[in-house]
Amino acid sequence: MNRCVAFACLIGALTGFWALAPVAAARQPDVPSPPSLGAASYVLMAYQSGQTLAAQHADRELPPGSVSKLMVGYIVFGEIRAGRLSPETEVTVSEKAWRMHGPQMFLEVGDEVSIDALLHGLITTSGNDAAVQLAQYIAGTTRTFVTYMNQYAQRLNLTHSHFANVTGQPAKGEYVSAADVARLYAAMLRRFPQLYRRYYSQKSFTYNGIHQYNRNSLLWADPRVGGGIVGADKAAGYHLAASARHDGTRVIAVVLGARSARARKHECDALINYAFRFYRNGVLWPAGQPVKRMRVWKGDADQVAVMAKGPVNVTYPRGQRDALVYRARLPVHLIAPIHKGERLGELRILYNERLLKDVPLYAGATVGPGNVVTRVYDDLRLMLGA
C-alpha cells in the first residue's frame, strides 16, 4: 500500500507548537452527498472506525419511544456477561408487568418465565411488560432501574439522552438523540456481539401461544441487516435504528422522527445503501503494528515504537485507499524517560484534504534514562542541532 506518510515536527523541542509537513496528493473524485431524508434527525455511523458518514440534526433531543429499550437490553446483557444473571433464570411475573399497556409479549401474573424469553419479548416484540419485568428483577423497582439507565448514559457519554421510564412511553424530561442512539448501539455491538446476534436477529417469537413478528421490517427486506430496534412517539414520529454488514464493513443507521413506519424503513435502508455503495472500511495498521519508530534521546534504548491502541480502522471512499494521506503530529526530539502507553501525538488520515479520522498515538514500550555517557553525548548532539 502506498502510505505517503508525512510525520510532522514540533517547532523547537520546548515550544509546544505543532506544525504539519505538507503532503502532495492529486485530488480524487469526491463522494456524492447522502440521500435527502424527511426524518427530523438521522445518523449514519461506520462501526469499525467510528466515523460519521452522514448526519442531520444528530444531537436533536426527541422522545425515544421504544428505542429506549435498547438501553434496557444493554444493561441486561451486561448483567449476563458479568455472571449476575443467566438466560435460564426463571422469574415470577409481577402484577405491574402484567398490567402494562402498549406492545406486549402477553405475560400472565404469577407465571414463571425465563430471562431468555423476557429478552425475546423485549427485543423481538418490543414488549412493555417484558421491560418492566426485567427491570424489577434486576433493580427491585423500575424507578431504580431508570437510575441505572441514566448512569449508563453518563458512562457512555450520551450527553443528549435522559430516561424517565423503562418502556419509552411519553414522559416529561425523556429524550434521546440520533447520535447517542448510534453510540449506544455501537457499544452493544462491541461489548456483547454474541448476545446481540442471539436476540436482535430474531424475526419472530411465540409466547403463551401468541406468535408475533419483529417490528424491524428491514430484517426481511435486506439480508445485510442483522438487527435493530424500532420506536414511535405520537409527537415526534417514527424511529428505527439498525445495523448492517456487507463486504467487511458494518454500519449503524439511526432515523428519528420519520413520518410513518414505512418512511422510517425506507429512509434507514437508503442510508445503509448509501454507505455500502460509496464507502469501505479498511485496517491501515493491524493491532500491535507500529505506525512509526522514533529516535529517543538520552535513553537506555535509542528507538521506541509509536503505536495506536488497537488496529487503525478507517472508512474511506470505495476504491480510493491509495489516495488516502497520512500525517502524524509528533515531537522532533523525544527525550527519555518515556513510559509505555504515554501519549506522544496523533495520526491524521485525510482524503482530498478532508479529515476522515484522528488517531491518538502512544509509546509502545518504556524507555528509561540512559547512562551518564549516553546522556552527555546526546546533550552535546542536541546542542549542535541534531
Side-chain angles (χ1 to χ4, degrees):
M1 178 182 65
N2 178 20
R3 287 189 171 167
C4 304
V5 183
F7 288 93
C9 296
L10 184 65
I11 304 175
L14 301 177
T15 63
F17 294 106
W18 298 104
L20 288 176
V23 178
R27 187 165 184 85
Q28 303 296 322
D30 233 330
V31 175
S33 299
S36 178
L37 306 182
S41 171
Y42 67 81
V43 164
L44 176 63
M45 174 192 285
Y47 167 68
Q48 290 104 321
S49 67
Q51 293 166 235
T52 298
L53 306 182
Q56 176 177 280
H57 306 307
D59 292 328
R60 178 177 289 179
E61 296 170 354
L62 295 168
S66 287
V67 169
S68 62
K69 293 178 181 127
L70 190 67
M71 179 61 86
V72 177
Y74 183 87
I75 294 172
V76 177
F77 285 176
E79 293 294 301
I80 292 173
R81 198 176 85 161
R84 294 187 290 266
L85 193 62
S86 167
E88 288 71 44
T89 300
E90 295 282 326
V91 177
T92 303
V93 177
S94 71
E95 183 174 349
K96 180 172 182 176
W98 171 68
R99 288 188 179 278
M100 290 305 299
H101 298 291
Q104 300 176 54
M105 66 179 287
F106 297 102
L107 295 172
E108 293 290 343
V109 66
D111 282 356
E112 297 292 314
V113 58
S114 68
I115 296 296
D116 177 74
L118 288 171
L119 277 169
H120 282 295
L122 175 80
I123 296 164
T124 307
T125 70
S126 196
N128 289 339
D129 50 358
V132 167
Q133 191 59 66
L134 285 165
Q136 287 182 316
Y137 185 76
I138 290 172
T141 68
T142 55
R143 178 174 294 182
T144 302
F145 192 88
V146 169
T147 301
Y148 290 168
M149 294 171 73
N150 288 312
Q151 288 174 347
Y152 274 92
Q154 289 183 334
R155 293 178 198 173
L156 293 168
N157 198 30
L158 308 185
T159 55
H160 295 279
S161 295
H162 187 268
F163 301 98
N165 58 56
V166 301
T167 62
Q169 292 176 313
K172 184 179 180 180
E174 182 171 58
Y175 50 86
V176 296
S177 72
D180 281 356
V181 173
R183 290 188 195 101
L184 175 57
Y185 208 126
M188 177 173 284
L189 288 168
R190 185 168 54 252
R191 292 195 63 204
F192 316 115
Q194 293 179 335
L195 289 168
Y196 173 82
R197 287 193 296 270
R198 177 175 176 178
Y199 291 103
Y200 277 86
S201 63
Q202 296 300 308
K203 293 182 178 179
S204 63
F205 173 61
T206 301
Y207 179 79
N208 207 15
I210 301 170
H211 190 71
Q212 298 188 72
Y213 293 95
N214 196 316
R215 288 170 167 80
N216 174 20
S217 54
L218 277 179
L219 283 173
W220 285 268
D222 191 336
R224 302 169 299 184
V225 173
I229 190 164
V230 300
D233 179 84
K234 188 174 182 180
Y238 293 80
H239 312 326
L240 173 57
S243 174
R245 185 180 179 88
H246 176 67
D247 198 20
T249 299
R250 181 187 286 277
V251 297
I252 298 167
V254 180
V255 171
L256 301 183
R259 294 187 181 93
S260 66
R262 183 176 180 179
R264 72 185 173 193
K265 173 191 170 185
H266 171 76
E267 293 176 0
C268 200
D269 197 39
L271 290 174
I272 291 169
N273 287 329
Y274 172 77
F276 293 144
R277 173 64 180 84
F278 295 109
Y279 287 95
R280 182 185 177 93
N281 188 79
V283 178
L284 304 183
W285 281 269
Q289 179 178 318
V291 173
K292 177 182 171 62
R293 292 188 179 275
M294 284 193 70
R295 171 76 160 92
V296 179
W297 300 86
K298 302 167 65 173
D300 59 8
D302 60 5
Q303 283 194 341
V304 68
V306 179
M307 310 177 72
K309 288 185 177 178
V312 177
N313 276 289
V314 67
T315 307
Y316 55 89
R318 183 173 284 272
Q320 298 297 320
R321 180 163 175 156
D322 287 343
L324 300 180
V325 170
Y326 313 90
R327 296 173 181 161
R329 294 176 170 181
L330 292 165
V332 164
H333 297 133
L334 204 54
I335 299 173
I338 297 164
H339 301 284
K340 183 177 181 179
E342 179 181 340
R343 181 162 178 173
L344 301 178
E346 65 179 12
L347 175 70
R348 309 189 87 212
I349 305 169
L350 303 98
Y351 177 76
N352 283 347
E353 292 301 312
R354 175 169 58 91
L355 180 65
L356 298 181
K357 188 175 183 180
D358 269 325
V359 182
L361 295 176
Y362 303 89
T366 295
V367 179
N371 58 36
V372 173
V373 173
T374 297
R375 297 200 303 272
V376 171
Y377 179 70
D378 283 353
D379 271 332
L380 289 171
R381 293 193 64 192
L382 287 169
M383 288 175 63
L384 294 172

PDB file of all heavy atoms in Angstrom, residues 93-94 98 106-112 207-208:
ATOM      1  N   VAL A  93     -43.822 -13.510  37.246  1.00  0.00           N
ATOM      2  CA  VAL A  93     -44.391 -12.314  36.628  1.00  0.00           C
ATOM      3  C   VAL A  93     -45.139 -11.492  37.687  1.00  0.00           C
ATOM      4  O   VAL A  93     -45.988 -12.014  38.424  1.00  0.00           O
ATOM      5  CB  VAL A  93     -45.336 -12.680  35.473  1.00  0.00           C
ATOM      6  CG1 VAL A  93     -45.987 -11.426  34.889  1.00  0.00           C
ATOM      7  CG2 VAL A  93     -44.559 -13.436  34.390  1.00  0.00           C
ATOM      8  N   SER A  94     -44.833 -10.206  37.743  1.00  0.00           N
ATOM      9  CA  SER A  94     -45.474  -9.319  38.706  1.00  0.00           C
ATOM     10  C   SER A  94     -46.774  -8.761  38.144  1.00  0.00           C
ATOM     11  O   SER A  94     -47.015  -8.767  36.931  1.00  0.00           O
ATOM     12  CB  SER A  94     -44.530  -8.151  39.040  1.00  0.00           C
ATOM     13  OG  SER A  94     -44.434  -7.268  37.922  1.00  0.00           O
ATOM     14  N   TRP A  98     -47.775  -7.334  34.282  1.00  0.00           N
ATOM     15  CA  TRP A  98     -48.985  -7.853  33.638  1.00  0.00           C
ATOM     16  C   TRP A  98     -49.934  -6.731  33.224  1.00  0.00           C
ATOM     17  O   TRP A  98     -50.605  -6.806  32.194  1.00  0.00           O
ATOM     18  CB  TRP A  98     -49.676  -8.814  34.604  1.00  0.00           C
ATOM     19  CG  TRP A  98     -51.047  -9.260  34.177  1.00  0.00           C
ATOM     20  CD1 TRP A  98     -51.359 -10.049  33.127  1.00  0.00           C
ATOM     21  CD2 TRP A  98     -52.275  -8.931  34.826  1.00  0.00           C
ATOM     22  NE1 TRP A  98     -52.722 -10.253  33.065  1.00  0.00           N
ATOM     23  CE2 TRP A  98     -53.305  -9.570  34.099  1.00  0.00           C
ATOM     24  CE3 TRP A  98     -52.620  -8.171  35.945  1.00  0.00           C
ATOM     25  CZ2 TRP A  98     -54.650  -9.459  34.460  1.00  0.00           C
ATOM     26  CZ3 TRP A  98     -53.955  -8.082  36.306  1.00  0.00           C
ATOM     27  CH2 TRP A  98     -54.944  -8.708  35.562  1.00  0.00           C
ATOM     28  N   PHE A 106     -47.383 -10.496  26.326  1.00  0.00           N
ATOM     29  CA  PHE A 106     -48.570 -11.103  26.940  1.00  0.00           C
ATOM     30  C   PHE A 106     -48.222 -12.035  28.094  1.00  0.00           C
ATOM     31  O   PHE A 106     -48.592 -13.206  28.130  1.00  0.00           O
ATOM     32  CB  PHE A 106     -49.414 -11.814  25.881  1.00  0.00           C
ATOM     33  CG  PHE A 106     -49.949 -10.859  24.850  1.00  0.00           C
ATOM     34  CD1 PHE A 106     -49.362 -10.773  23.594  1.00  0.00           C
ATOM     35  CD2 PHE A 106     -51.004 -10.009  25.140  1.00  0.00           C
ATOM     36  CE1 PHE A 106     -49.834  -9.876  22.645  1.00  0.00           C
ATOM     37  CE2 PHE A 106     -51.489  -9.105  24.189  1.00  0.00           C
ATOM     38  CZ  PHE A 106     -50.895  -9.037  22.942  1.00  0.00           C
ATOM     39  N   LEU A 107     -47.508 -11.452  29.060  1.00  0.00           N
ATOM     40  CA  LEU A 107     -47.228 -12.155  30.305  1.00  0.00           C
ATOM     41  C   LEU A 107     -48.505 -12.289  31.125  1.00  0.00           C
ATOM     42  O   LEU A 107     -49.402 -11.446  31.042  1.00  0.00           O
ATOM     43  CB  LEU A 107     -46.187 -11.374  31.117  1.00  0.00           C
ATOM     44  CG  LEU A 107     -44.783 -11.251  30.507  1.00  0.00           C
ATOM     45  CD1 LEU A 107     -43.938 -10.290  31.340  1.00  0.00           C
ATOM     46  CD2 LEU A 107     -44.108 -12.618  30.422  1.00  0.00           C
ATOM     47  N   GLU A 108     -48.556 -13.342  31.934  1.00  0.00           N
ATOM     48  CA  GLU A 108     -49.675 -13.558  32.866  1.00  0.00           C
ATOM     49  C   GLU A 108     -49.140 -13.498  34.285  1.00  0.00           C
ATOM     50  O   GLU A 108     -48.131 -14.128  34.613  1.00  0.00           O
ATOM     51  CB  GLU A 108     -50.327 -14.916  32.607  1.00  0.00           C
ATOM     52  CG  GLU A 108     -51.034 -15.032  31.266  1.00  0.00           C
ATOM     53  CD  GLU A 108     -52.309 -14.197  31.189  1.00  0.00           C
ATOM     54  OE1 GLU A 108     -52.811 -13.789  32.258  1.00  0.00           O
ATOM     55  OE2 GLU A 108     -52.784 -13.950  30.067  1.00  0.00           O
ATOM     56  N   VAL A 109     -49.822 -12.736  35.144  1.00  0.00           N
ATOM     57  CA  VAL A 109     -49.372 -12.553  36.509  1.00  0.00           C
ATOM     58  C   VAL A 109     -49.225 -13.901  37.209  1.00  0.00           C
ATOM     59  O   VAL A 109     -50.074 -14.786  37.085  1.00  0.00           O
ATOM     60  CB  VAL A 109     -50.332 -11.622  37.285  1.00  0.00           C
ATOM     61  CG1 VAL A 109     -51.717 -12.235  37.464  1.00  0.00           C
ATOM     62  CG2 VAL A 109     -49.736 -11.260  38.643  1.00  0.00           C
ATOM     63  N   GLY A 110     -48.099 -14.072  37.922  1.00  0.00           N
ATOM     64  CA  GLY A 110     -47.845 -15.301  38.662  1.00  0.00           C
ATOM     65  C   GLY A 110     -47.133 -16.375  37.864  1.00  0.00           C
ATOM     66  O   GLY A 110     -46.618 -17.339  38.448  1.00  0.00           O
ATOM     67  N   ASP A 111     -47.081 -16.261  36.551  1.00  0.00           N
ATOM     68  CA  ASP A 111     -46.388 -17.264  35.730  1.00  0.00           C
ATOM     69  C   ASP A 111     -44.878 -17.195  35.954  1.00  0.00           C
ATOM     70  O   ASP A 111     -44.332 -16.154  36.333  1.00  0.00           O
ATOM     71  CB  ASP A 111     -46.675 -17.047  34.243  1.00  0.00           C
ATOM     72  CG  ASP A 111     -48.048 -17.560  33.831  1.00  0.00           C
ATOM     73  OD1 ASP A 111     -48.742 -18.150  34.693  1.00  0.00           O
ATOM     74  OD2 ASP A 111     -48.426 -17.364  32.657  1.00  0.00           O
ATOM     75  N   GLU A 112     -44.211 -18.314  35.706  1.00  0.00           N
ATOM     76  CA  GLU A 112     -42.757 -18.361  35.712  1.00  0.00           C
ATOM     77  C   GLU A 112     -42.261 -18.209  34.273  1.00  0.00           C
ATOM     78  O   GLU A 112     -42.706 -18.930  33.375  1.00  0.00           O
ATOM     79  CB  GLU A 112     -42.250 -19.674  36.308  1.00  0.00           C
ATOM     80  CG  GLU A 112     -42.625 -19.890  37.774  1.00  0.00           C
ATOM     81  CD  GLU A 112     -41.906 -18.904  38.685  1.00  0.00           C
ATOM     82  OE1 GLU A 112     -40.688 -18.705  38.516  1.00  0.00           O
ATOM     83  OE2 GLU A 112     -42.579 -18.312  39.559  1.00  0.00           O
ATOM     84  N   TYR A 207     -44.925 -16.707  22.447  1.00  0.00           N
ATOM     85  CA  TYR A 207     -45.032 -16.881  23.893  1.00  0.00           C
ATOM     86  C   TYR A 207     -46.506 -16.943  24.260  1.00  0.00           C
ATOM     87  O   TYR A 207     -47.317 -16.179  23.733  1.00  0.00           O
ATOM     88  CB  TYR A 207     -44.351 -15.724  24.646  1.00  0.00           C
ATOM     89  CG  TYR A 207     -44.470 -15.874  26.138  1.00  0.00           C
ATOM     90  CD1 TYR A 207     -43.644 -16.749  26.833  1.00  0.00           C
ATOM     91  CD2 TYR A 207     -45.441 -15.165  26.859  1.00  0.00           C
ATOM     92  CE1 TYR A 207     -43.771 -16.908  28.200  1.00  0.00           C
ATOM     93  CE2 TYR A 207     -45.564 -15.317  28.226  1.00  0.00           C
ATOM     94  CZ  TYR A 207     -44.734 -16.196  28.897  1.00  0.00           C
ATOM     95  OH  TYR A 207     -44.867 -16.371  30.253  1.00  0.00           O
ATOM     96  N   ASN A 208     -46.802 -17.855  25.177  1.00  0.00           N
ATOM     97  CA  ASN A 208     -48.179 -18.001  25.659  1.00  0.00           C
ATOM     98  C   ASN A 208     -49.140 -18.277  24.508  1.00  0.00           C
ATOM     99  O   ASN A 208     -50.296 -17.827  24.513  1.00  0.00           O
ATOM    100  CB  ASN A 208     -48.595 -16.738  26.423  1.00  0.00           C
ATOM    101  CG  ASN A 208     -49.664 -17.007  27.479  1.00  0.00           C
ATOM    102  OD1 ASN A 208     -49.912 -18.163  27.843  1.00  0.00           O
ATOM    103  ND2 ASN A 208     -50.296 -15.952  27.963  1.00  0.00           N
TER     104      ASN A 208
END
